[in-house]
Amino acid sequence: MTSAQHRLAWISAALLSFAGAWLFQFYGNNVRSYFNTESLFAWWGLQWFNPRSQTEYGPIILLTSIGLTIWNWRRTPEDSSEPCPRAAVLLIMAGLALHAGGLIVEQARISIVGLLVFINGIAWLAGGRRAGRASAFPLLFLLFALPLEFLFDEFGFYLRLAVIQSSTTLAHLVGIGVFRNGTHLISPDGSFNYDVEPACSGIRSLVALTALTLLVGYCCFRTWWRRGFLLAVAFPFAYLGNVARIFTIILAAEWFGQEAGMVVHEWFGFLVFVIVLGLALATVSALEKWIPEKPLAVRQTSQKPLTSTRALGLTLVVGLGSIALCAAFAAKVENLGRSAEAGVRLTADGEQPQPLPNLLGPGLEWAGKVAPISEIERTVLPPDTGFSRSNYIHLDGGGELVYFSIVLCGKGRGAIHRPELCLVGQGWRIERKSLHDFAIPGMPDGLEATVLEIERTVQTEDGEVVIPGLFAYWFVGRDRVAATNIERMAWFAWDRLTRLQSHRWAYLFAQTDCPDGREAGLARLQSVIGEVVPVVQTAGFPSAE
């Protein structure tokens, strides 16, 4: 390849890099929720410093990826630097297509995957096979820095329960009579009482330890099946590490008291990483001993056709044209098919959900009083968010109370969020999570909702008091009802992809304290939900389908 063609390849890569950076900076993000920015770089970077995103290790992943790229580049033969326009243009267009898809479904995470694919395409153009392969795994490794907090909330809770159950079983095997109540570990003699917080579920450490184990496998092995095997065993290793942590806390508390268990809790988190890393290295050693890799064969170099100037020029033109088309599409997709329709009944102006009924029940035994909207909700949520909520009190004098709320998104979807986030922020602890079918008049299949068993500790004159409660929630689109946040996100994406439109989703929930037990609390929720839903909701009923 001539020096002029080398310069053309680098100039083409530089121009495409500049154009791509402009695209992802000014047309990279159309999700205006907690971070009101059009820059995909800013959206991703801000997530790393936002505790709610649970990706504080993002900068470490980024530095590791940069180091891996340099390491790969140095150990790759220099004679493989011939630019590969065909691979480059395919990857660049694939990255832009992913970004366009992310814009359609309003998922910046998909756009980030597109950005990484786009960068790899630039590498294949500027440095050929050498740069393309050197950057492939490091860019893939950056996926560990994606904010996946919604998955953490959904699956981390069940992982936490599994860790607690395994630790309790081990304690019973060694003669410690600890018993479990939801996420609580309690000693029969009252010597210790722990609530296993979400941070102790192991889901975040599972991500970090999986990344660490994959990194060990990548550096120690060349064959992908060995790397894949090490990645697969990272999951049970991380699980065992977190079980060991909780079990050791139980042992310390049983032998030395509550404070000793807290000391173990503070320091054992570091030992979990030591345990998992030791297991990973032991697995590497076993594979090297029992199934050694074959020596790396000497690569036979062959004379390949030189890259033509025409191919480089065509790559530049196609790349710039695709970026321009993607930018034009991004400008159009901002308000793509947005509909004012909703799955709940609206006021005459079509902006707010209609007020909740004042009296409920066949004997009008439930009386409702409009509940105010908190200042923090009006500050954090978009200004066009709609609200309708009431406190329902039972008129028999028993003081039974059910809180019912509708939160309706406006033009964007930033008002709809994971309920678990707000509950934990309000001081509630989530003990159990399950799906429950509520009977609704006129709804043949009933209403499936997620029910959270929650509790919090309050300080009274008589000391600390634990208040249990139930929280039932579901999401309503124009013609959809979703019991979980992941299901709601999937339906939203499906409508955007297949119908090229989105409508206003609403988030409905009912909450009650239940000092009289779960079944009594569910009965109260059933009484109120069964009366309110036919009045305020249209989705899910035969006439709305």
Side-chain angles (χ1 to χ4, degrees):
M1 185 176 187
T2 66
S3 59
Q5 289 174 322
H6 255 302
R7 286 195 299 270
L8 179 58
W10 278 96
I11 291 173
S12 299
L15 290 173
L16 289 171
S17 297
F18 179 80
W22 170 81
L23 172 69
F24 288 106
Q25 173 65 28
F26 297 105
Y27 296 96
N29 174 48
N30 62 348
V31 181
R32 303 291 192 271
S33 52
Y34 298 109
F35 303 114
N36 188 15
T37 175
E38 67 278 359
S39 170
L40 188 64
F41 305 112
W43 186 90
W44 195 10
L46 289 170
Q47 298 281 0
W48 295 348
F49 302 97
N50 176 32
R52 290 178 301 194
S53 302
Q54 304 182 45
T55 49
E56 297 92 338
Y57 44 78
I60 298 176
I61 298 292
L62 176 61
L63 293 175
T64 303
S65 295
I66 294 173
L68 281 172
T69 303
I70 297 173
W71 181 64
N72 283 340
W73 175 265
R74 290 180 174 176
R75 67 187 188 132
T76 305
E78 294 185 7
D79 59 356
S80 59
S81 298
E82 177 84 9
C84 300
R86 180 178 298 178
V89 75
L90 289 176
L91 288 168
I92 288 171
M93 294 182 69
L96 295 175
L98 284 170
H99 178 44
L103 292 172
I104 291 177
V105 301
E106 294 188 358
Q107 270 297 335
R109 297 167 182 85
I110 298 177
S111 292
I112 289 173
V113 176
L115 170 63
L116 299 180
V117 173
F118 179 88
I119 293 173
N120 190 238
I122 297 297
W124 278 90
L125 178 60
R129 188 182 302 273
R130 184 186 188 192
R133 290 189 171 181
S135 61
F137 178 80
L139 289 170
L140 179 68
F141 193 72
L142 273 173
L143 293 179
F144 283 104
L146 277 178
L148 299 174
E149 68 284 354
F150 62 96
L151 291 178
F152 294 172
D153 287 343
E154 194 70 25
F155 302 112
F157 178 78
Y158 299 105
L159 179 61
R160 179 164 44 135
L161 292 181
V163 168
I164 295 170
Q165 181 60 55
S166 298
S167 304
T168 304
T169 301
L170 286 176
H172 291 165
L173 290 176
V174 298
I176 300 177
V178 64
F179 68 90
R180 178 176 70 89
N181 180 21
T183 59
H184 279 272
L185 293 172
I186 306 170
S187 171
D189 60 6
S191 60
F192 63 85
N193 184 344
Y194 296 113
D195 178 36
V196 182
E197 299 288 344
C200 299
S201 68
I203 189 68
R204 281 186 291 179
S205 61
L206 177 63
V207 175
L209 291 169
T210 301
L212 178 63
T213 306
L214 179 61
L215 183 62
V216 170
Y218 182 78
C219 294
C220 293
F221 297 122
R222 297 185 308 275
T223 52
W224 283 104
W225 78 263
R226 287 177 172 83
R227 294 171 176 174
F229 177 78
L230 205 60
L231 175 63
V233 298
F235 294 93
F237 286 172
Y239 179 79
L240 291 174
N242 281 282
V243 169
R245 181 186 188 188
I246 302 300
F247 178 61
T248 305
I249 291 173
I250 295 174
L251 291 179
E254 176 70 15
W255 294 338
F256 305 108
Q258 176 97 4
E259 292 301 321
M262 294 304 298
V263 172
V264 173
H265 171 268
E266 293 296 327
W267 291 98
F268 203 88
F270 300 102
L271 293 179
V272 172
F273 280 85
V274 174
I275 291 172
V276 175
L277 181 59
L279 290 172
L281 293 176
T283 304
V284 170
S285 178
L287 287 173
E288 290 177 339
K289 180 179 179 181
W290 295 328
I291 316 177
E293 286 188 307
K294 296 180 180 180
L296 184 64
V298 178
R299 188 174 62 89
Q300 298 294 327
T301 60
S302 58
Q303 188 69 28
K304 296 182 179 180
L306 297 179
T307 303
S308 67
T309 302
R310 180 182 178 184
L312 293 173
L314 186 61
T315 300
L316 176 60
V317 171
V318 171
L320 291 176
S322 300
I323 291 172
L325 287 174
C326 191
F329 177 78
K332 294 290 185 181
V333 81
E334 183 70 23
N335 295 307
L336 175 65
R338 293 195 181 275
S339 170
E341 297 180 88
V344 295
R345 291 185 171 88
L346 306 176
T347 53
D349 60 6
E351 297 297 326
Q352 298 285 328
Q354 73 175 26
L356 300 176
N358 293 325
L359 295 172
L360 302 176
L364 304 181
E365 60 267 21
W366 289 95
K369 181 180 180 181
V370 176
I373 312 302
S374 67
E375 187 62 30
I376 189 170
E377 285 178 298
R378 295 198 180 278
T379 302
V380 173
L381 298 180
D384 59 354
T385 302
F387 299 93
S388 183
R389 56 185 49 165
S390 290
N391 284 308
Y392 287 99
I393 187 168
H394 203 277
L395 298 178
D396 67 354
E400 297 177 347
L401 184 70
V402 174
Y403 177 60
F404 194 101
S405 173
I406 302 175
V407 180
L408 177 65
C409 70
K411 293 181 179 180
R413 61 180 179 87
I416 305 299
H417 52 277
R418 306 182 314 280
E420 291 84 350
L421 184 66
C422 293
L423 285 172
V424 173
Q426 295 168 6
W428 291 96
R429 298 183 297 272
I430 301 173
E431 300 295 315
R432 291 184 180 88
K433 179 188 295 188
S434 61
L435 295 177
H436 183 80
D437 288 323
F438 291 96
I440 307 296
M443 189 179 289
D445 299 327
L447 174 70
E448 186 179 49
T450 298
V451 174
L452 305 176
E453 297 181 38
I454 57 178
E455 66 176 34
R456 66 176 173 180
T457 303
V458 298
Q459 188 68 39
T460 67
E461 294 180 355
D462 299 325
E464 292 186 345
V465 176
V466 176
I467 300 178
L470 289 177
F471 187 97
Y473 70 87
W474 62 101
F475 302 94
V476 176
R478 182 190 62 186
D479 53 0
R480 311 280 193 195
V481 178
T484 66
N485 188 50
I486 288 184
E487 184 183 355
R488 191 267 308 175
M489 293 173 64
W491 279 123
F492 179 87
W494 178 256
D495 285 339
R496 296 276 292 184
L497 280 172
T498 60
R499 302 180 181 181
L500 296 180
Q501 66 176 359
S502 62
H503 41 265
R504 302 174 70 185
W505 278 83
Y507 155 48
L508 290 78
F509 69 87
Q511 181 179 354
T512 185
D513 293 342
C514 51
D516 49 352
R518 180 178 185 273
E519 294 305 318
L522 278 175
R524 282 192 293 278
L525 292 179
Q526 172 64 66
S527 297
V528 173
I529 292 173
E531 293 286 338
V532 174
V533 167
V535 177
V536 301
Q537 184 174 314
T538 58
F541 291 89
S543 59
E545 294 177 354

Coordinates of all heavy atoms in Angstrom, one line a residue, residues 259-289:
E259 N -22.6 -6.6 66.9 CA -21.6 -5.7 66.4 C -20.5 -6.4 65.6 O -20.0 -5.9 64.7 CB -21.0 -4.9 67.6 CG -21.9 -3.9 68.3 CD -22.4 -2.9 67.3 OE1 -21.6 -2.4 66.4 OE2 -23.6 -2.5 67.3
A260 N -20.2 -7.6 66.1 CA -19.2 -8.4 65.4 C -19.6 -8.7 63.9 O -18.9 -8.7 63.0 CB -18.8 -9.7 66.1
G261 N -20.9 -9.0 63.8 CA -21.5 -9.3 62.5 C -21.4 -8.1 61.6 O -21.1 -8.2 60.4
M262 N -21.6 -6.9 62.2 CA -21.5 -5.7 61.4 C -20.1 -5.4 60.9 O -19.9 -4.9 59.8 CB -22.0 -4.5 62.2 CG -23.5 -4.5 62.5 SD -24.6 -4.7 61.1 CE -24.2 -3.2 60.2
V263 N -19.1 -5.7 61.8 CA -17.7 -5.6 61.3 C -17.4 -6.5 60.2 O -16.8 -6.1 59.2 CB -16.8 -5.9 62.5 CG1 -15.3 -5.9 62.0 CG2 -16.9 -4.8 63.6
V264 N -17.9 -7.7 60.2 CA -17.7 -8.6 59.1 C -18.4 -8.1 57.9 O -17.8 -8.2 56.7 CB -18.2 -10.0 59.5 CG1 -18.2 -11.0 58.3 CG2 -17.4 -10.6 60.6
H265 N -19.6 -7.6 58.0 CA -20.3 -7.0 56.9 C -19.5 -5.9 56.2 O -19.5 -5.8 55.0 CB -21.6 -6.4 57.4 CG -22.4 -5.7 56.3 ND1 -22.3 -4.3 56.2 CD2 -23.3 -6.1 55.4 CE1 -23.0 -3.9 55.2 NE2 -23.6 -4.9 54.7
E266 N -18.8 -5.1 57.0 CA -18.1 -3.9 56.4 C -16.9 -4.4 55.6 O -16.5 -3.8 54.6 CB -17.7 -3.0 57.5 CG -18.8 -2.2 58.2 CD -19.6 -1.3 57.2 OE1 -18.9 -0.8 56.3 OE2 -20.8 -1.2 57.4
W267 N -16.2 -5.4 56.1 CA -14.9 -5.8 55.6 C -14.9 -7.0 54.6 O -14.0 -7.2 53.8 CB -13.9 -6.1 56.7 CG -13.5 -4.8 57.4 CD1 -14.0 -4.4 58.6 CD2 -12.6 -3.8 57.0 NE1 -13.5 -3.2 58.9 CE2 -12.6 -2.8 58.0 CE3 -11.8 -3.7 55.9 CZ2 -11.8 -1.7 57.9 CZ3 -11.0 -2.6 55.8 CH2 -11.0 -1.6 56.8
F268 N -16.0 -7.9 54.8 CA -15.9 -9.1 54.0 C -16.2 -8.9 52.5 O -15.9 -9.7 51.7 CB -17.0 -10.1 54.6 CG -16.7 -11.5 54.2 CD1 -15.8 -12.3 55.1 CD2 -17.2 -12.1 53.1 CE1 -15.5 -13.6 54.8 CE2 -16.9 -13.4 52.8 CZ -16.1 -14.2 53.6
G269 N -16.8 -7.7 52.2 CA -17.0 -7.5 50.8 C -15.8 -7.5 49.9 O -15.8 -8.0 48.8
F270 N -14.6 -7.1 50.5 CA -13.4 -7.2 49.7 C -12.9 -8.6 49.6 O -12.3 -9.0 48.6 CB -12.3 -6.4 50.5 CG -12.6 -4.9 50.6 CD1 -13.1 -4.4 51.8 CD2 -12.5 -4.0 49.5 CE1 -13.4 -3.0 51.9 CE2 -12.8 -2.7 49.6 CZ -13.3 -2.2 50.8
L271 N -13.2 -9.4 50.6 CA -12.8 -10.8 50.6 C -13.6 -11.6 49.5 O -13.1 -12.6 49.0 CB -12.9 -11.5 52.0 CG -12.0 -10.9 53.1 CD1 -12.3 -11.6 54.4 CD2 -10.6 -11.1 52.7
V272 N -14.8 -11.2 49.2 CA -15.6 -11.8 48.2 C -14.8 -11.8 46.9 O -14.7 -12.8 46.2 CB -17.0 -11.2 48.1 CG1 -17.7 -11.8 46.8 CG2 -17.8 -11.4 49.3
F273 N -14.2 -10.6 46.6 CA -13.5 -10.5 45.3 C -12.2 -11.4 45.4 O -11.8 -12.0 44.4 CB -13.0 -9.0 45.1 CG -14.1 -8.2 44.6 CD1 -15.1 -7.6 45.4 CD2 -14.3 -8.0 43.2 CE1 -16.1 -6.8 44.9 CE2 -15.3 -7.2 42.7 CZ -16.2 -6.6 43.5
V274 N -11.6 -11.5 46.5 CA -10.4 -12.4 46.7 C -10.8 -13.8 46.4 O -10.1 -14.6 45.8 CB -9.8 -12.2 48.1 CG1 -8.6 -13.2 48.3 CG2 -9.2 -10.8 48.2
I275 N -11.9 -14.2 47.0 CA -12.4 -15.6 46.9 C -12.7 -15.9 45.4 O -12.2 -17.0 44.9 CB -13.7 -15.8 47.7 CG1 -13.3 -15.8 49.2 CG2 -14.3 -17.2 47.4 CD1 -14.5 -15.8 50.1
V276 N -13.4 -15.1 44.8 CA -13.8 -15.3 43.4 C -12.6 -15.3 42.5 O -12.5 -16.1 41.6 CB -14.9 -14.3 42.9 CG1 -15.2 -14.5 41.4 CG2 -16.2 -14.5 43.8
L277 N -11.7 -14.3 42.7 CA -10.5 -14.3 41.9 C -9.7 -15.5 42.1 O -9.1 -16.1 41.1 CB -9.7 -13.0 42.2 CG -8.4 -12.8 41.4 CD1 -8.7 -12.7 39.9 CD2 -7.7 -11.6 41.9
G278 N -9.6 -16.0 43.3 CA -8.8 -17.2 43.6 C -9.4 -18.4 42.9 O -8.7 -19.3 42.3
L279 N -10.8 -18.5 42.9 CA -11.5 -19.6 42.2 C -11.2 -19.5 40.7 O -11.0 -20.5 40.0 CB -13.0 -19.6 42.5 CG -13.4 -19.9 43.9 CD1 -14.9 -19.7 44.1 CD2 -13.1 -21.4 44.2
A280 N -11.2 -18.3 40.1 CA -11.0 -18.1 38.7 C -9.6 -18.5 38.3 O -9.4 -19.2 37.3 CB -11.3 -16.7 38.3
L281 N -8.6 -18.1 39.1 CA -7.2 -18.5 38.8 C -7.0 -20.0 39.0 O -6.2 -20.6 38.3 CB -6.3 -17.7 39.8 CG -6.2 -16.2 39.5 CD1 -5.3 -15.5 40.6 CD2 -5.7 -15.9 38.1
A282 N -7.7 -20.6 40.0 CA -7.6 -22.1 40.1 C -8.2 -22.8 38.9 O -7.6 -23.8 38.5 CB -8.3 -22.5 41.4
T283 N -9.3 -22.2 38.4 CA -9.9 -22.8 37.2 C -8.9 -22.7 36.0 O -8.8 -23.6 35.2 CB -11.2 -22.1 36.9 OG1 -12.1 -22.2 38.0 CG2 -11.9 -22.8 35.7
V284 N -8.3 -21.5 35.9 CA -7.3 -21.3 34.8 C -6.2 -22.3 34.9 O -5.7 -23.0 33.9 CB -6.7 -19.9 34.9 CG1 -5.5 -19.7 33.9 CG2 -7.8 -18.9 34.5
S285 N -5.7 -22.5 36.1 CA -4.6 -23.5 36.4 C -5.0 -24.9 36.0 O -4.2 -25.6 35.4 CB -4.1 -23.4 37.8 OG -3.1 -24.3 38.1
A286 N -6.2 -25.3 36.4 CA -6.7 -26.6 36.1 C -6.8 -26.8 34.6 O -6.5 -27.9 34.0 CB -8.0 -26.9 36.8
L287 N -7.4 -25.8 33.9 CA -7.5 -26.0 32.4 C -6.1 -26.1 31.7 O -5.9 -26.8 30.8 CB -8.3 -24.8 31.8 CG -9.8 -24.8 32.1 CD1 -10.4 -23.4 31.6 CD2 -10.5 -25.9 31.5
E288 N -5.2 -25.3 32.2 CA -3.8 -25.3 31.6 C -3.2 -26.6 31.9 O -2.3 -27.1 31.1 CB -3.0 -24.2 32.2 CG -3.4 -22.8 31.7 CD -2.6 -21.7 32.4 OE1 -2.0 -21.9 33.4 OE2 -2.5 -20.6 31.8
K289 N -3.5 -27.3 33.0 CA -2.9 -28.5 33.4 C -3.5 -29.7 32.6 O -2.8 -30.6 32.1 CB -2.9 -28.7 34.9 CG -2.3 -30.0 35.4 CD -2.4 -30.2 36.9 CE -1.8 -31.5 37.4 NZ -1.9 -31.6 38.8

